[in-house]
Amino acid sequence: MKAAVVRSSGELAVSEVPEPVPGPGQVLVDIDAIGVGYVDVMARRGEYPYFPGEGAVPGLEAAGRVTAVGPDAPEGLAGQRVLALPAFGGYAEKVVVDADRVLPAPRGADAADVVGLGVNALVAEVALHRAAVAAGERVLVRGAGGGIGVHATRIAHARGAEVTVVTSSPARGERLRALGAARVVDRTQSAVPEETYDVVVDTVAGPELGEHLGLLRPNGRYVLCGGAGGVPGPESFGPLLSDFHKSPTLFALSLNSVSPEDLRLSWERITALLAEGRLSAVLDRRFPLTEAEAALRRVESGKVFGKVVLLPR
Ligand SMILES: NC(=O)c1ccc[n+]([C@@H]2O[C@H](COP(=O)([O-])OP(=O)(O)OC[C@H]3O[C@@H](n4cnc5c(N)ncnc54)[C@H](OP(=O)(O)O)[C@@H]3O)[C@@H](O)[C@H]2O)c1
């Protein structure tokens, strides 16, 4: 089968590789669409701890059909259309994945839409669920035009929150307003918003993390979901002590540590929002698998709005 493999230069090249075989508790998925995320950029730069590097195939999410079931995996998965969340290997025509890391594709959604929700909607939904965002609360989303950010904006709005987004241009701000943002902060004009928030969903981190942490209202919750702006220094966490009287909460969220049961429950809530028309995939561009390098560069450029998708055929 074809797969995009990381070369010694760090670039991706599509090559013929052996077809994977599902082991105990695993299934084989024939892939129709692959999600490309910033995490793949970090992986190929050697900034993601679990990625083996040269010779490995990136890709943490793919949509397709289960075509083989390994020993001890549920037989009922055979033939099902699914969202697969493999531990890498997704930039390929086929991937093996643990059976408890596949979720049912929503009825009527095509494969690109399934990955257009995928990991990003799961991160956004679990973040807002764990932060227990309530109607009427004020939510700030950093990295709002990115893959996770667009869903965080939409889902926070669907939960009845008043959403402010931080983004990088008026045009992106307008698109985010259409997804439910009540206010837009253009980070190219002002580095940090001036108001305070009950919940911050942050996919950027970077040197301005501390200033954003300082925007929490009393009993506010700050969910750190990613680091598209780089790793912040220890001084960024100062507001946790200087604002002690406000009882701030900071928690990190990685889907890696979310249990299969919590993933399933979150996916059910996402599927329900989809069915109600209150959530949809936001697709940036589609590339053929043979142009995986170009797709990754597009994500690396920071100019994506929503999800970049690879199509294996
Ligand atoms: N928690 C998890 O389990 C999980 C899962 C997947 C990914 N992630 C991580 O989450 C982060 C975002 O992923 P993604 O796929 O949403 O990425 P993405 O689609 O590239 O979006 C990131 C967004 O952040 C903003 N941004 C980029 N560079 C910035 C900078 N230097 N300063 C301020 N804002 C900047 C841009 O949005 P605007 O132009 O609109 O500001 C950009 O579109 C990555 O670090 C990724 O590794 C975490």
Side-chain angles (χ1 to χ4, degrees):
M1 68 165 190
K2 287 189 174 48
V5 179
V6 176
R7 295 294 175 213
S8 55
S9 61
E11 295 217 336
L12 292 174
V14 173
S15 325
E16 287 291 329
V17 301
E19 214 175 282
V21 177
Q26 293 184 319
V27 296
L28 179 71
V29 176
D30 253 35
I31 298 174
D32 295 317
I34 300 151
V36 182
Y38 199 85
V39 67
D40 303 330
V41 172
M42 295 171 74
R44 74 104 154 254
R45 280 186 192 154
E47 294 170 3
Y48 193 86
Y50 311 109
F51 186 65
E54 185 184 349
V57 176
L60 291 168
E61 61 184 325
R65 195 175 289 280
V66 175
T67 51
V69 175
D72 304 328
E75 291 285 339
L77 285 173
Q80 297 294 313
R81 289 182 64 239
V82 295
L83 168 68
L85 304 175
F88 297 107
Y91 283 22
E93 291 179 314
K94 297 178 187 198
V95 69
V96 290
V97 54
D98 291 347
D100 63 7
R101 302 285 288 184
V102 299
L103 297 162
R107 193 170 301 158
D110 77 10
D113 285 345
V114 174
V115 289
L117 293 167
V119 162
N120 292 337
L122 283 164
V123 172
E125 204 285 329
V126 174
L128 292 160
H129 184 76
R130 290 194 177 175
V133 171
E137 286 197 309
R138 283 162 62 165
V139 173
L140 180 72
V141 180
R142 286 189 81 198
I148 296 171
V150 292
H151 292 309
T153 301
R154 196 99 190 260
I155 295 170
H157 175 67
R159 290 179 76 113
E162 188 187 303
V163 185
T164 299
V165 293
V166 182
T167 190
S168 53
S169 73
R172 289 163 81 80
E174 281 316 302
R175 295 181 75 177
L176 288 158
R177 280 188 198 278
L179 297 179
R183 288 194 189 78
V184 176
V185 176
D186 184 339
R187 65 181 163 90
T188 65
Q189 303 299 318
S190 61
V192 176
E194 286 169 2
E195 291 166 324
T196 54
Y197 302 92
D198 300 293
V199 172
V200 180
V201 176
D202 185 353
T203 67
V204 176
E208 284 125 24
L209 171 69
E211 286 157 277
H212 286 86
L213 200 47
L215 300 179
L216 284 183
R217 292 172 137 188
N219 304 303
R221 293 85 73 199
Y222 198 105
V223 197
L224 191 52
C225 300
V231 178
E235 68 285 355
S236 296
F237 300 95
L240 283 177
L241 287 175
S242 56
D243 291 344
F244 196 79
H245 57 288
K246 295 193 210 161
S247 309
T249 298
L250 165 67
F251 63 94
L253 170 65
S254 167
L255 275 196
N256 283 331
S257 58
V258 175
S259 69
E261 179 58 13
D262 281 351
L263 276 182
R264 193 162 298 284
L265 290 171
S266 175
W267 192 243
E268 280 173 15
R269 293 190 292 270
I270 288 166
T271 306
L273 287 173
L274 187 71
E276 291 161 10
R278 296 201 290 161
L279 186 65
S280 55
V282 180
L283 301 185
D284 180 79
R285 274 178 59 183
R286 302 169 201 230
F287 294 83
L289 179 61
T290 47
E291 291 176 25
E293 178 60 33
L296 212 47
R297 287 193 181 178
R298 167 109 188 119
V299 172
E300 201 164 18
S301 74
K303 292 187 178 135
V304 296
F305 190 88
K307 191 76 183 175
V308 171
V309 175
L310 282 174
L311 301 171
R313 50 189 144 250

